Short mmCIF file of all heavy atoms in Angstrom, two decimals:
data_model
loop_
_atom_site.label_atom_id
_atom_site.label_comp_id
_atom_site.label_asym_id
_atom_site.label_seq_id
_atom_site.Cartn_x
_atom_site.Cartn_y
_atom_site.Cartn_z
N PRO T 21 0.82 -1.25 -0.01
CA PRO T 21 -0.01 0.02 0.00
C PRO T 21 0.80 1.23 0.04
O PRO T 21 0.50 2.17 -0.71
CB PRO T 21 -0.80 -0.15 1.30
CG PRO T 21 -0.88 -1.65 1.52
CD PRO T 21 0.48 -2.14 1.02
N ALA T 22 1.83 1.26 0.77
CA ALA T 22 2.76 2.49 0.85
C ALA T 22 3.46 2.69 -0.49
O ALA T 22 3.55 3.81 -1.05
CB ALA T 22 3.75 2.33 2.00
N ALA T 23 3.96 1.59 -1.12
CA ALA T 23 4.66 1.73 -2.37
C ALA T 23 3.68 2.22 -3.49
O ALA T 23 4.06 2.94 -4.36
CB ALA T 23 5.34 0.46 -2.74
N ASN T 24 2.48 1.61 -3.50
CA ASN T 24 1.54 2.12 -4.47
C ASN T 24 1.22 3.61 -4.23
O ASN T 24 0.86 4.29 -5.20
CB ASN T 24 0.29 1.18 -4.45
CG ASN T 24 0.58 -0.11 -5.07
OD1 ASN T 24 1.53 -0.22 -5.89
ND2 ASN T 24 -0.16 -1.16 -4.85
N ALA T 25 1.07 4.05 -3.06
CA ALA T 25 0.80 5.38 -2.72
C ALA T 25 1.87 6.34 -3.15
O ALA T 25 1.62 7.40 -3.76
CB ALA T 25 0.64 5.65 -1.18
N GLU T 26 3.13 5.82 -2.99
CA GLU T 26 4.28 6.64 -3.49
C GLU T 26 4.26 6.77 -4.99
O GLU T 26 4.47 7.72 -5.61
CB GLU T 26 5.59 6.00 -2.98
CG GLU T 26 5.88 6.08 -1.51
CD GLU T 26 6.98 5.34 -1.00
OE1 GLU T 26 7.75 4.84 -1.84
OE2 GLU T 26 7.07 5.11 0.20
N ARG T 27 3.91 5.66 -5.76
CA ARG T 27 3.84 5.59 -7.20
C ARG T 27 2.68 6.66 -7.55
O ARG T 27 2.83 7.47 -8.51
CB ARG T 27 3.52 4.23 -7.78
CG ARG T 27 3.51 4.22 -9.24
CD ARG T 27 3.22 2.70 -9.67
NE ARG T 27 3.22 2.69 -11.08
CZ ARG T 27 2.19 2.90 -11.98
NH1 ARG T 27 1.03 3.29 -11.36
NH2 ARG T 27 2.36 2.85 -13.18
N THR T 28 1.56 6.54 -6.91
CA THR T 28 0.48 7.42 -7.21
C THR T 28 0.85 8.88 -7.10
O THR T 28 0.50 9.74 -7.88
CB THR T 28 -0.74 7.10 -6.28
OG1 THR T 28 -1.12 5.77 -6.62
CG2 THR T 28 -1.95 7.95 -6.68
N GLU T 29 1.65 9.14 -6.02
CA GLU T 29 2.10 10.55 -5.80
C GLU T 29 3.09 10.89 -6.93
O GLU T 29 2.95 12.10 -7.40
CB GLU T 29 2.84 10.59 -4.37
CG GLU T 29 3.42 11.97 -4.14
CD GLU T 29 2.42 13.05 -3.96
OE1 GLU T 29 1.24 12.76 -3.73
OE2 GLU T 29 2.78 14.25 -4.02
N ARG T 30 3.95 10.08 -7.31
CA ARG T 30 4.90 10.42 -8.48
C ARG T 30 4.03 10.68 -9.74
O ARG T 30 4.48 11.56 -10.53
CB ARG T 30 5.87 9.37 -8.71
CG ARG T 30 6.93 9.25 -7.62
CD ARG T 30 8.02 8.32 -7.94
NE ARG T 30 7.77 6.96 -8.29
CZ ARG T 30 7.50 6.00 -7.33
NH1 ARG T 30 7.58 6.21 -6.06
NH2 ARG T 30 7.14 4.71 -7.71
N ILE T 31 2.94 9.93 -9.92
CA ILE T 31 2.12 10.14 -11.18
C ILE T 31 1.43 11.55 -10.95
O ILE T 31 1.44 12.35 -11.99
CB ILE T 31 1.10 9.01 -11.33
CG1 ILE T 31 1.80 7.76 -11.72
CG2 ILE T 31 0.07 9.51 -12.35
CD1 ILE T 31 0.97 6.55 -11.71
N ALA T 32 0.95 11.86 -9.82
CA ALA T 32 0.27 13.08 -9.67
C ALA T 32 1.17 14.27 -9.77
O ALA T 32 0.71 15.27 -10.36
CB ALA T 32 -0.41 13.16 -8.18
N THR T 33 2.43 14.18 -9.31
CA THR T 33 3.38 15.29 -9.34
C THR T 33 4.16 15.28 -10.60
O THR T 33 4.86 16.16 -10.84
CB THR T 33 4.31 15.31 -8.18
OG1 THR T 33 5.06 14.07 -8.09
CG2 THR T 33 3.43 15.47 -6.79
N ARG T 34 4.10 14.12 -11.36
CA ARG T 34 4.90 13.96 -12.55
C ARG T 34 6.41 14.21 -12.29
O ARG T 34 7.07 14.95 -13.00
CB ARG T 34 4.42 14.79 -13.68
CG ARG T 34 3.01 14.47 -14.10
CD ARG T 34 2.60 15.21 -15.30
NE ARG T 34 1.25 14.82 -15.68
CZ ARG T 34 0.66 15.21 -16.83
NH1 ARG T 34 1.24 16.03 -17.63
NH2 ARG T 34 -0.54 14.80 -17.09
N SER T 35 6.85 13.59 -11.12
CA SER T 35 8.31 13.79 -10.74
C SER T 35 8.95 12.56 -10.21
O SER T 35 8.18 11.67 -9.65
CB SER T 35 8.39 15.00 -9.82
OG SER T 35 7.65 14.60 -8.58
N ARG T 36 10.21 12.48 -10.27
CA ARG T 36 10.90 11.35 -9.68
C ARG T 36 11.04 11.54 -8.16
O ARG T 36 11.00 12.65 -7.68
CB ARG T 36 12.23 11.21 -10.31
CG ARG T 36 12.30 10.95 -11.72
CD ARG T 36 13.64 10.71 -12.29
NE ARG T 36 14.00 9.28 -12.04
CZ ARG T 36 15.12 8.89 -11.68
NH1 ARG T 36 16.10 9.70 -11.33
NH2 ARG T 36 15.32 7.61 -11.43
N ALA T 37 11.25 10.41 -7.37
CA ALA T 37 11.40 10.53 -6.08
C ALA T 37 12.72 11.14 -5.71
O ALA T 37 13.74 10.99 -6.42
CB ALA T 37 11.38 9.11 -5.38
N ALA T 38 12.71 12.05 -4.72
CA ALA T 38 13.88 12.85 -4.36
C ALA T 38 15.13 11.99 -3.93
O ALA T 38 16.22 12.38 -4.17
CB ALA T 38 13.58 13.93 -3.33
N ASN T 39 14.75 10.87 -3.35
CA ASN T 39 15.92 10.01 -2.90
C ASN T 39 16.52 9.09 -3.86
O ASN T 39 17.40 8.35 -3.57
CB ASN T 39 15.39 9.18 -1.59
CG ASN T 39 14.28 8.29 -1.95
OD1 ASN T 39 13.55 8.46 -2.89
ND2 ASN T 39 14.04 7.27 -1.07
N TRP T 40 15.94 9.10 -5.10
CA TRP T 40 16.52 8.19 -6.19
C TRP T 40 17.79 8.89 -6.64
O TRP T 40 17.76 9.89 -7.30
CB TRP T 40 15.54 7.97 -7.33
CG TRP T 40 14.36 7.12 -6.93
CD1 TRP T 40 14.19 6.37 -5.81
CD2 TRP T 40 13.24 6.92 -7.71
NE1 TRP T 40 12.99 5.70 -5.89
CE2 TRP T 40 12.38 6.00 -6.99
CE3 TRP T 40 12.77 7.38 -8.93
CZ2 TRP T 40 11.05 5.60 -7.54
CZ3 TRP T 40 11.47 7.03 -9.37
CH2 TRP T 40 10.71 6.16 -8.61
N LYS T 41 18.95 8.16 -6.53
CA LYS T 41 20.21 8.67 -6.92
C LYS T 41 20.64 8.27 -8.30
O LYS T 41 21.30 8.97 -9.05
CB LYS T 41 21.31 8.34 -5.93
CG LYS T 41 21.05 8.75 -4.52
CD LYS T 41 20.85 10.33 -4.41
CE LYS T 41 20.54 10.70 -3.02
NZ LYS T 41 19.75 11.90 -2.89
N LYS T 42 20.11 7.21 -8.78
CA LYS T 42 20.41 6.55 -10.06
C LYS T 42 19.60 7.25 -11.08
O LYS T 42 18.45 7.52 -10.90
CB LYS T 42 20.25 5.13 -10.18
CG LYS T 42 21.14 4.35 -9.29
CD LYS T 42 20.79 2.81 -9.30
CE LYS T 42 21.75 2.01 -8.46
NZ LYS T 42 21.30 0.63 -8.52
N PRO T 43 20.13 7.54 -12.40
CA PRO T 43 19.35 8.01 -13.32
C PRO T 43 18.34 7.02 -13.81
O PRO T 43 18.58 5.78 -13.65
CB PRO T 43 20.31 8.48 -14.50
CG PRO T 43 21.43 7.78 -14.15
CD PRO T 43 21.54 7.39 -12.76
N PRO T 44 17.25 7.37 -14.47
CA PRO T 44 16.22 6.47 -15.07
C PRO T 44 16.92 5.56 -16.18
O PRO T 44 18.07 6.04 -16.73
CB PRO T 44 15.10 7.28 -15.50
CG PRO T 44 15.69 8.60 -15.87
CD PRO T 44 16.88 8.75 -14.87
N ARG T 45 16.15 4.67 -16.66
CA ARG T 45 16.56 3.86 -17.83
C ARG T 45 15.80 4.36 -19.02
O ARG T 45 14.74 4.99 -18.96
CB ARG T 45 16.32 2.41 -17.61
CG ARG T 45 16.93 1.82 -16.38
CD ARG T 45 18.39 1.55 -16.54
NE ARG T 45 18.96 1.17 -15.28
CZ ARG T 45 20.14 0.58 -15.13
NH1 ARG T 45 20.97 0.46 -16.29
NH2 ARG T 45 20.68 0.26 -14.02
N ARG T 46 16.24 3.97 -20.25
CA ARG T 46 15.46 4.22 -21.47
C ARG T 46 15.61 2.93 -22.38
O ARG T 46 16.58 2.26 -22.35
CB ARG T 46 16.03 5.48 -22.18
CG ARG T 46 17.33 5.34 -22.79
CD ARG T 46 17.69 6.48 -23.64
NE ARG T 46 19.11 6.35 -24.03
CZ ARG T 46 19.52 5.53 -25.13
NH1 ARG T 46 18.68 4.94 -25.84
NH2 ARG T 46 20.86 5.49 -25.36
N ILE T 47 14.63 2.83 -23.24
CA ILE T 47 14.67 1.73 -24.16
C ILE T 47 14.97 2.23 -25.53
O ILE T 47 14.39 3.19 -25.99
CB ILE T 47 13.32 0.94 -24.26
CG1 ILE T 47 13.03 0.32 -22.87
CG2 ILE T 47 13.20 -0.05 -25.32
CD1 ILE T 47 11.57 -0.21 -22.71
N GLU T 48 16.05 1.59 -26.26
CA GLU T 48 16.35 2.09 -27.62
C GLU T 48 15.40 1.42 -28.52
O GLU T 48 15.59 0.25 -28.69
CB GLU T 48 17.85 1.68 -27.84
CG GLU T 48 18.34 2.06 -29.24
CD GLU T 48 18.16 3.62 -29.55
OE1 GLU T 48 18.60 4.38 -28.71
OE2 GLU T 48 17.53 3.95 -30.49
N THR T 49 14.57 2.15 -29.02
CA THR T 49 13.42 1.57 -29.79
C THR T 49 13.93 0.87 -31.10
O THR T 49 13.36 -0.06 -31.49
CB THR T 49 12.33 2.59 -30.17
OG1 THR T 49 12.91 3.69 -30.80
CG2 THR T 49 11.61 3.07 -28.88
N SER T 50 15.00 1.36 -31.67
CA SER T 50 15.64 0.70 -32.81
C SER T 50 16.14 -0.66 -32.51
O SER T 50 16.22 -1.37 -33.47
CB SER T 50 16.62 1.62 -33.54
OG SER T 50 17.84 1.75 -32.61
N GLU T 51 16.37 -0.95 -31.32
CA GLU T 51 16.92 -2.24 -30.93
C GLU T 51 15.95 -3.19 -30.33
O GLU T 51 16.16 -4.35 -30.21
CB GLU T 51 18.13 -2.05 -30.01
CG GLU T 51 19.24 -1.24 -30.57
CD GLU T 51 20.38 -0.90 -29.53
OE1 GLU T 51 20.31 -1.50 -28.45
OE2 GLU T 51 21.15 0.04 -29.81
N CYS T 52 14.87 -2.64 -29.82
CA CYS T 52 13.93 -3.44 -29.05
C CYS T 52 12.97 -4.26 -29.92
O CYS T 52 12.62 -3.92 -31.07
CB CYS T 52 12.90 -2.39 -28.30
SG CYS T 52 11.60 -3.12 -27.35
N ILE T 53 12.76 -5.50 -29.47
CA ILE T 53 11.89 -6.51 -30.22
C ILE T 53 10.53 -6.58 -29.68
O ILE T 53 9.70 -7.34 -30.07
CB ILE T 53 12.61 -7.74 -30.28
CG1 ILE T 53 12.73 -8.39 -28.85
CG2 ILE T 53 13.92 -7.83 -31.06
CD1 ILE T 53 13.26 -9.85 -28.86
N THR T 54 10.11 -5.67 -28.80
CA THR T 54 8.78 -5.57 -28.26
C THR T 54 8.34 -6.90 -27.63
O THR T 54 7.12 -7.31 -27.81
CB THR T 54 7.80 -4.99 -29.19
OG1 THR T 54 8.32 -3.99 -30.02
CG2 THR T 54 6.52 -4.36 -28.54
N CYS T 55 9.24 -7.56 -26.89
CA CYS T 55 8.84 -8.85 -26.23
C CYS T 55 8.07 -8.65 -24.94
O CYS T 55 7.47 -9.57 -24.39
CB CYS T 55 10.10 -9.67 -25.95
SG CYS T 55 11.23 -9.01 -24.81
N ASP T 56 8.16 -7.40 -24.32
CA ASP T 56 7.54 -7.13 -23.11
C ASP T 56 8.21 -7.70 -21.86
O ASP T 56 7.60 -7.68 -20.73
CB ASP T 56 6.06 -7.32 -23.05
CG ASP T 56 5.25 -6.22 -23.92
OD1 ASP T 56 5.83 -5.34 -24.32
OD2 ASP T 56 4.04 -6.60 -24.20
N SER T 57 9.34 -8.36 -21.97
CA SER T 57 9.99 -8.90 -20.83
C SER T 57 10.24 -7.84 -19.77
O SER T 57 10.15 -8.12 -18.49
CB SER T 57 11.31 -9.61 -21.25
OG SER T 57 11.04 -10.80 -22.01
N CYS T 58 10.73 -6.76 -20.19
CA CYS T 58 10.95 -5.61 -19.30
C CYS T 58 9.78 -5.19 -18.59
O CYS T 58 9.73 -4.93 -17.31
CB CYS T 58 11.71 -4.44 -20.00
SG CYS T 58 10.64 -3.78 -21.36
N LEU T 59 8.64 -4.98 -19.27
CA LEU T 59 7.35 -4.61 -18.76
C LEU T 59 6.92 -5.57 -17.68
O LEU T 59 6.56 -5.09 -16.56
CB LEU T 59 6.41 -4.45 -19.87
CG LEU T 59 4.98 -3.88 -19.48
CD1 LEU T 59 4.37 -3.21 -20.66
CD2 LEU T 59 4.12 -4.96 -18.94
N ARG T 60 7.11 -6.74 -17.89
CA ARG T 60 6.56 -7.79 -16.95
C ARG T 60 7.54 -7.85 -15.77
O ARG T 60 7.09 -8.27 -14.64
CB ARG T 60 6.47 -9.15 -17.59
CG ARG T 60 5.40 -9.30 -18.62
CD ARG T 60 5.14 -10.77 -19.08
NE ARG T 60 6.31 -11.36 -19.71
CZ ARG T 60 6.69 -11.19 -21.04
NH1 ARG T 60 5.94 -10.50 -21.73
NH2 ARG T 60 7.79 -11.78 -21.46
N SER T 61 8.82 -7.46 -15.91
CA SER T 61 9.72 -7.51 -14.79
C SER T 61 9.82 -6.33 -13.90
O SER T 61 10.37 -6.40 -12.82
CB SER T 61 11.18 -8.02 -15.24
OG SER T 61 11.67 -6.96 -16.03
N CYS T 62 9.37 -5.19 -14.35
CA CYS T 62 9.41 -3.97 -13.77
C CYS T 62 8.79 -4.01 -12.39
O CYS T 62 7.56 -4.39 -12.33
CB CYS T 62 8.91 -2.75 -14.55
SG CYS T 62 9.08 -1.15 -13.68
N PRO T 63 9.37 -3.87 -11.28
CA PRO T 63 8.76 -3.99 -9.97
C PRO T 63 7.45 -3.06 -9.96
O PRO T 63 7.47 -1.91 -10.31
CB PRO T 63 9.78 -3.46 -8.93
CG PRO T 63 11.06 -3.71 -9.65
CD PRO T 63 10.85 -3.47 -11.13
N GLU T 64 6.43 -3.60 -9.36
CA GLU T 64 5.14 -2.95 -9.24
C GLU T 64 5.21 -1.60 -8.64
O GLU T 64 4.46 -0.65 -8.90
CB GLU T 64 4.11 -3.87 -8.50
CG GLU T 64 2.72 -3.32 -8.47
CD GLU T 64 1.65 -4.24 -7.84
OE1 GLU T 64 1.85 -5.48 -8.08
OE2 GLU T 64 0.80 -3.68 -7.10
N GLU T 65 6.05 -1.47 -7.53
CA GLU T 65 6.22 -0.12 -6.91
C GLU T 65 6.69 0.94 -7.79
O GLU T 65 6.49 2.16 -7.43
CB GLU T 65 7.02 -0.24 -5.66
CG GLU T 65 8.38 -0.59 -5.82
CD GLU T 65 8.75 -2.05 -5.66
OE1 GLU T 65 7.88 -2.93 -5.96
OE2 GLU T 65 9.90 -2.32 -5.21
#
């Protein structure tokens, strides 16, 4: 519940969590085979 609330807050504010030190990831679309493995593995929080 707390993790989902934090995600909801990030969506509402459209901002990253202040305590995240690592930069986000990106998918290179020209290399992606659209298998959705990444989507299924991304932690729910």
Side-chain angles (χ1 to χ4, degrees):
N24 286 336
E26 290 170 13
R27 181 179 185 275
T28 300
E29 177 67 19
R30 289 192 302 276
I31 291 170
T33 61
R34 296 183 177 189
S35 61
R36 296 185 83 226
N39 62 338
W40 289 349
K41 303 302 178 203
K42 295 179 182 178
R45 306 287 176 161
R46 70 173 173 80
I47 297 171
E48 180 56 52
T49 56
S50 65
E51 300 171 14
C52 179
I53 60 172
T54 320
C55 67
D56 288 349
S57 292
C58 57
L59 186 151
R60 290 188 305 272
S61 67
C62 184
E64 185 177 320
E65 65 263 33

